Amino acid sequence: MTDPFTPTSKPDSDERLGGHQVCVVGAGYVGLTAAACLAHLGHNVTCVEASPHRLEVLRGGGIPIHEPGLADLVDEGVRNGRLRWAADVASGLGDAGIVLLCVGTPPRADGEPDLSQLADAGRQVARAASRDLVVVVKSTVPPGSCEAIELICADEADAGVTIRVASSPEFLRESRAVEDFLFPDRVVVGAEDLDVIDLVASLYPPASPVVRCDRRGAELVKYAANTFLAIKISFANEVAQLCDALGTNAMDVLDGVGSDSRIGRQFLKPGPGYGGSCLPKDVSGFVALGKSAGTWTSLACAAEEQNALARRSVAGRLELVIGPLRGKRIGLLGLAFKDGTDDVRDSPSMQIAKDLLAAGAVVCAYDPLAHGESAPVEVKRVTSPREVLTGAEAVVIGVDSPEYRNLDPIGVADLMSGDVVFDAAGVCDLDAWGRAGLNVYGVGRGTPMAFYPVVWAPLRWTVGAPVDSLD
Ligand SMILES: NC(=O)c1ccc[n+]([C@@H]2O[C@H](COP(=O)([O-])OP(=O)(O)OC[C@H]3O[C@@H](n4cnc5c(N)ncnc54)[C@H](O)[C@@H]3O)[C@@H](O)[C@H]2O)c1
């Protein structure tokens, strides 16, 4: 990526870029990325992190998450003095005029987000504030949350201190967080006052397209965008099921569909379904929003059903091919929710591992980055694909990664004791892997085998079946 903010092109004074004093609350994927990128853009940032472990790593010169390019930016900010750490808001707020809330909003059992971290952070900011502030909610929150946080702040702040709350949801993708923050497709800012919108917009890279709206609108953009992406992925899986049933290849079909510029190719790829900390949570949040607002979110509900099918059908489909899984050694490539991240939150691969274990399989898994502690203890973690493949009766590929794409199928066949590969992520070249003697099954790869009966309606049409027999 070309970075317009390299030292040579960076404006020489903080003033030209705004040089705001900013406090970022939460040093997770969103907060740490925002803090480091804002420091890179010329702002003075204090990042507050409540987790002693994360703070210790940061103070020790490391970063507690895996995110390409982030360690360098953090290092740059710490060395030039624009990025500092604090253990709590009271000590980190300092002279900040803008506070970014980047705390977690995990789903509750009923699908609605748990906003307690956000409410606590708002209280802490208000109690520590000795001057007027703009608080920007970057966490994903349902419409109305910024108004609620503003009320909490008004209750907690000293008389004479005014705290105005704006919404500016984050759209970064894990594994490309720095790139997405520095080169956003758009920045969304919602506030009640135009001066607040302008102030918040001035934090971001100067060339960013800015969508300005009210707070509820900005909050809803995030839910609607993620729900649309989830529907697109689920639609690809729906097409893939049809392709399996009809014996054709979904990659080609979806390529043809996505070539239409009104549709686009991105996210039109069949696989084990969407996962991660955002899409599943935000779709269920969207559905919950519809329920509370009295509107029917049928597309979002359908995406959830399709997604459950995509991830939960893998173990059963494997069983159809190789028989009962009990006692069989199954290799699993990939545990994180996608390639290039250590994040296993709501990961389809992790669900596949659990389903394989529940069916009695002996599961041996490899993932270069995934947090080990989140995998079920029965999963044997190994440190190379070779160890996963050695002696495996079948292998499941759960994550689309260049590392698995580039595996030599002849070598794979030599190492395995069986010959079945379930390529849930769609990485294998079917011809090459087939020539190596492997039976590759996938999602929408035109390899229906034992999975679905083929209903050959077109044949009935061509032989002139009576019209009333065709429904
Ligand atoms: N991860 C993503 O890709 C992504 C993308 C866009 C939006 N979001 C949204 O952004 C929010 C944050 O997501 P995340 O993945 O960065 O979460 P995360 O859990 O990785 O990080 C949140 C951090 O906030 C810290 N924290 C909580 N309360 C605090 C407080 N009072 N003071 C200081 N630190 C505090 C936690 O210790 C944690 O380190 C969520 O609402 C999420 O839905 C996430």
Side-chain angles (χ1 to χ4, degrees):
M1 71 186 165
T2 319
D3 180 356
F5 301 101
T6 52
T8 47
S9 64
K10 198 180 276 182
D12 33 50
S13 83
D14 286 353
E15 297 305 311
R16 285 178 56 192
L17 278 173
H20 301 294
Q21 303 289 331
V22 184
C23 176
V24 174
V25 183
Y29 293 87
V30 171
L32 188 56
T33 304
C37 290
L38 290 175
H40 181 63
L41 293 172
H43 305 293
N44 288 302
V45 183
T46 301
C47 184
V48 181
E49 173 51 56
S51 149
H53 165 69
R54 284 192 164 178
L55 194 62
E56 190 187 326
V57 174
L58 290 166
R59 285 189 164 147
I63 62 168
I65 54 175
H66 176 85
E67 202 49 69
L70 187 56
D72 289 346
L73 280 195
V74 166
D75 189 47
E76 173 196 274
V78 169
R79 278 199 283 112
N80 68 23
R82 285 209 176 99
L83 181 57
R84 290 166 297 275
W85 314 115
D88 51 55
V89 175
S91 59
L93 190 58
D95 295 335
I98 307 176
V99 180
L100 266 53
L101 300 186
C102 306
V103 300
T105 52
R108 298 188 319 210
D110 61 4
E112 292 195 25
D114 176 353
L115 301 179
S116 56
Q117 288 183 40
L118 194 74
D120 287 346
R123 263 183 223 107
Q124 290 159 10
V125 170
R127 283 177 195 152
S130 56
R131 50 176 285 194
D132 291 353
L133 285 179
V134 168
V135 168
V136 184
V137 176
K138 287 203 69 63
S139 303
T140 303
V141 293
S145 302
C146 286
E147 289 152 73
I149 295 294
E150 196 165 87
L151 289 176
I152 289 174
C153 289
D155 269 357
E156 298 286 340
D158 285 347
V161 171
T162 301
I163 297 179
R164 292 185 289 173
V165 178
S167 164
S168 185
E170 182 52 60
F171 298 96
L172 62 77
R173 293 161 292 178
E174 285 180 25
S175 81
R176 302 175 75 165
V178 169
E179 187 186 340
D180 286 348
F181 195 96
L182 292 177
F183 303 93
D185 287 342
R186 80 310 206 182
V187 157
V188 175
V189 185
E192 297 315 287
D193 303 310
L194 288 179
D195 65 314
V196 173
I197 293 186
D198 288 341
L199 180 72
V200 176
S202 71
L203 283 172
Y204 290 102
S208 311
V210 182
V211 176
R212 295 156 195 266
C213 53
D214 63 19
R215 291 183 290 196
R216 290 185 179 199
E219 290 165 326
L220 187 56
V221 169
K222 176 68 190 178
Y223 279 96
N226 272 357
T227 301
F228 184 82
L229 293 174
I231 288 171
K232 209 169 170 192
I233 292 169
S234 296
F235 180 75
N237 278 329
E238 201 157 293
V239 171
Q241 283 156 22
L242 263 178
C243 289
D244 280 341
L246 298 172
T248 188
N249 193 325
M251 305 289 191
D252 299 337
V253 173
L254 291 167
D255 191 34
V257 172
S259 301
D260 184 327
S261 61
R262 293 169 302 176
I263 297 173
R265 283 195 179 85
Q266 284 195 55
F267 281 69
L268 266 193
K269 182 173 179 292
Y274 57 80
S277 67
C278 289
L279 255 55
K281 160 176 89 67
D282 294 349
V283 178
S284 60
F286 188 86
V287 171
L289 261 181
K291 278 190 191 138
S292 68
T295 66
W296 179 227
T297 52
S298 55
L299 292 176
C301 292
E304 286 192 314
E305 279 175 31
Q306 184 59 251
N307 201 53
L309 181 68
R311 58 167 71 180
R312 300 305 299 267
S313 61
V314 172
R317 293 177 72 180
L318 188 61
E319 200 153 39
L320 279 175
V321 182
I322 65 170
L325 299 180
R326 182 155 303 283
K328 292 205 168 97
R329 183 187 154 100
I330 310 295
L332 178 60
L333 291 172
L335 280 172
F337 84 92
K338 66 174 182 178
D339 185 43
T341 182
D342 53 356
D343 198 345
V344 294
R345 288 178 284 183
D346 217 339
S347 152
S349 252
M350 203 64 97
Q351 183 63 55
I352 293 169
K354 288 177 187 160
D355 290 343
L356 292 170
L357 287 172
V362 178
V363 181
C364 178
Y366 165 74
D367 189 297
L369 298 171
H371 289 306
E373 67 273 16
S374 314
V377 284
E378 300 89 339
V379 172
K380 183 177 179 224
R381 287 288 299 270
V382 293
T383 54
S384 69
R386 164 176 281 274
E387 290 169 86
V388 159
L389 296 164
T390 303
E393 288 172 66
V395 168
V396 176
I397 305 178
V399 172
D400 183 352
S401 148
E403 191 175 3
Y404 313 143
R405 259 178 206 281
N406 294 331
L407 284 170
D408 167 25
I410 296 173
V412 171
D414 282 349
L415 289 171
M416 289 176 63
S417 67
D419 61 4
V420 169
V421 175
F422 193 96
D423 179 18
V427 304
C428 298
D429 175 335
L430 292 182
D431 291 339
W433 286 59
R435 278 198 304 277
L438 294 162
N439 285 312
V440 181
Y441 300 84
V443 182
R445 302 297 296 274
T447 52
M449 309 300 280
F451 301 142
Y452 299 104
V454 175
V455 181
W456 213 237
L459 203 57
R460 285 197 284 152
W461 297 334
T462 54
V463 297
V467 172
D468 61 3
S469 74
L470 301 173
D471 31 49

